[in-house]
């Protein structure tokens, strides 16, 4: 037994619950298995009645457990229904309701002392925040530092202008009439800058394709991704295997002893005598 009840009788040990196999057999054989619940307090299996199942179904559907309960019954005013000669409660008001509270006074003084010493700052009118401006194209600001942009890859630089793009190029860089005709007949995408000569820099006009070239440059930087390539600094000689020295491979033939020159075709096999005569 595991103890005693209120009357002094022994309380026997509860039977151990069956394993999963026993539950499976009970489910197949017992028709009331679906309405059987296990009471852990008493250690017994209880079969629910139809009324108990109806109460559970009503609770699952968010209804009142009692089927005959009406939540919309007329309300009965018990206190103001009948006029009474004497009040229900005639207790005199306490004195503390007519004098200031000492507890509230201590709390207010504590807050005043904290405000005077600067421990608590009263809420004031919030000043409107000024808009912050920064240089978008700056290369030294905190937004463009290497710490925040660790994977930043600089864009490739444009090639520097040569003698052909000079406003006063040498005579050998000036195009001939045939080159001018070929340049005019070529496609716009295949055309290169045609060199022209001016007497001074003040006579150089504005470049008409400046905006188009800058726009194409921005498109290339925006649409063409860039990535880092790891360059291996290796010695090509390290890739070749190290061959052993010839003197370490001895013994092997080093001199020519016999030369056979009587054959006229290919030699596929040779049979020699042990004595060395033939």
């Amino acid at each position: 037994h595991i103890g005693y009840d209120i009357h002094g009788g022994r309380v026997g040990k509860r039977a151990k619950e069956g394993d999963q196999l026993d539950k499976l057999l009970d489910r197949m054989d017992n028709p009331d298995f679906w309405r059987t619940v296990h009471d852990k307090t008493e250690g017994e299996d209880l079969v629910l009645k139809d009324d108990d199942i109806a109460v559970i179904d009503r609770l699952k559907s968010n209804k009142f457990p009692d089927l005959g309960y009406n939540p919309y019954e007329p309300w009965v005013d018990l206190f103001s229904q009948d006029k009474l000669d004497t009040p229900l409660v005639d207790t005199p008001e306490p004195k503390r309701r007519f004098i200031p509270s000492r507890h509230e006074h201590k709390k207010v003084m504590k807050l005043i002392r904290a405000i005077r010493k600067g421990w608590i700052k009263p809420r004031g009118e919030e000043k409107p925040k000024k808009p912050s401006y920064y240089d978008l194209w700056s290369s030294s600001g905190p937004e463009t530092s290497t710490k925040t942009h660790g994977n930043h890859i600089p864009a490739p630089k444009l090639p520097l202008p040569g003698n052909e793009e000079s406003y006063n190029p040498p005579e050998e860089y000036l195009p001939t009439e045939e080159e001018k005709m070929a340049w005019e007949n070529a496609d716009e995408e295949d055309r290169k800058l045609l060199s022209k000569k001016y007497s001074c820099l003040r006579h150089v006009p504005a470049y008409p394709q400046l905006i188009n070239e800058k726009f194409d440059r921005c498109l290339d930087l925006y649409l063409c991704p860039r990535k880092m390539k790891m360059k291996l600094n290796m010695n090509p000689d390290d890739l070749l295997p190290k061959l052993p020295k010839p003197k370490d491979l001895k013994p092997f033939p080093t001199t020519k002893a016999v030369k056979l020159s009587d054959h006229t075709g290919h030699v596929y096999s040779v049979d020699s005598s042990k004595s060395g005569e033939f």
Side-chain angles (χ1 to χ4, degrees):
H1 66 282
I2 59 175
Y4 301 90
D5 55 6
I6 58 176
H7 302 292
R10 294 182 178 182
V11 178
K13 294 183 179 180
R14 300 170 184 172
K16 295 183 179 180
E17 299 182 4
D19 54 1
Q20 296 296 331
L21 183 58
D22 295 337
K23 291 183 179 179
L24 178 61
L25 295 176
D26 193 14
R27 180 182 301 175
M28 300 299 295
D29 299 337
N30 187 8
D32 296 334
F33 179 80
W34 63 276
R35 61 168 63 193
T36 304
V37 295
H38 181 72
D39 188 3
K40 294 183 179 180
T41 305
E42 300 295 337
E44 299 177 355
D45 292 338
L46 303 178
V47 179
L48 300 179
K49 301 179 181 179
D50 295 339
D51 297 339
D52 300 335
I53 295 176
V55 171
I56 294 174
D57 293 340
R58 292 182 63 83
L59 291 175
K60 290 171 62 178
S61 58
N62 296 328
K63 296 181 181 179
F64 292 99
D66 190 2
L67 184 60
Y69 177 74
N70 183 15
Y72 305 105
E73 293 181 356
W75 179 64
V76 179
D77 190 1
L78 299 177
F79 292 94
S80 61
Q81 180 181 2
D82 300 329
K83 186 176 181 181
L84 303 178
D85 297 335
T86 58
L88 294 177
V89 179
D90 195 13
T91 306
E93 295 290 340
K95 184 180 178 180
R96 62 176 177 271
R97 298 187 180 179
F98 301 98
I99 59 177
S101 175
R102 290 186 177 181
H103 178 70
E104 293 180 359
H105 177 72
K106 292 181 179 179
K107 191 173 183 179
V108 171
M109 293 303 298
K110 185 177 180 180
L111 293 175
I112 293 174
R113 193 180 304 107
I115 292 174
R116 288 178 179 176
K117 293 187 177 181
W119 299 340
I120 300 177
K121 295 183 179 179
R123 296 180 181 178
E125 298 181 359
E126 296 183 358
K127 298 181 180 180
K129 296 182 179 179
K130 297 182 179 180
S132 58
Y133 302 100
Y134 62 93
D135 188 3
L136 181 63
W137 305 105
S138 176
S139 59
S140 60
E143 293 83 4
T144 58
S145 61
T146 56
K147 295 182 179 179
T148 56
H149 300 281
N151 297 328
H152 173 69
I153 302 176
K157 296 182 180 180
L158 292 174
L160 297 177
N163 295 330
E164 296 179 355
E165 300 180 5
S166 175
Y167 75 95
N168 190 11
E171 295 294 336
E172 59 268 15
Y173 287 96
L174 294 176
T176 59
E177 295 295 335
E178 297 178 355
E179 294 177 351
K180 290 181 180 180
M181 292 293 295
W183 182 84
E184 293 177 357
N185 297 331
D187 192 7
E188 293 183 358
E189 296 181 356
D190 300 335
R191 291 180 180 177
K192 297 183 179 180
L193 182 63
L194 194 64
S195 300
K196 294 183 180 180
K197 189 172 184 178
Y198 299 95
S199 59
C200 60
L201 186 60
R202 182 165 46 86
H203 294 165
V204 178
Y207 182 48
Q209 299 294 330
L210 176 63
I211 297 178
N212 296 340
E213 289 185 358
K214 294 301 180 182
F215 180 74
D216 294 340
R217 167 74 171 173
C218 293
L219 282 182
D220 293 341
L221 296 177
Y222 171 65
L223 299 177
C224 298
R226 300 188 294 271
K227 66 177 182 179
M228 297 290 293
K229 286 188 177 181
M230 301 300 294
K231 185 178 180 181
L232 299 178
N233 297 325
M234 299 181 65
N235 187 9
D237 298 335
D238 297 339
L239 301 177
L240 299 176
K242 294 183 179 180
L243 300 177
K245 296 181 180 180
K247 63 180 182 179
D248 298 336
L249 300 177
K250 288 183 178 182
F252 56 86
T254 57
T255 59
K256 183 170 64 175
V258 179
K259 181 179 180 181
L260 302 176
S261 60
D262 296 337
H263 57 277
T264 58
H266 297 284
V267 177
Y268 295 101
S269 63
V270 176
D271 188 8
S272 59
S273 176
K274 296 181 180 180
S275 61
E277 297 180 359
F278 57 90

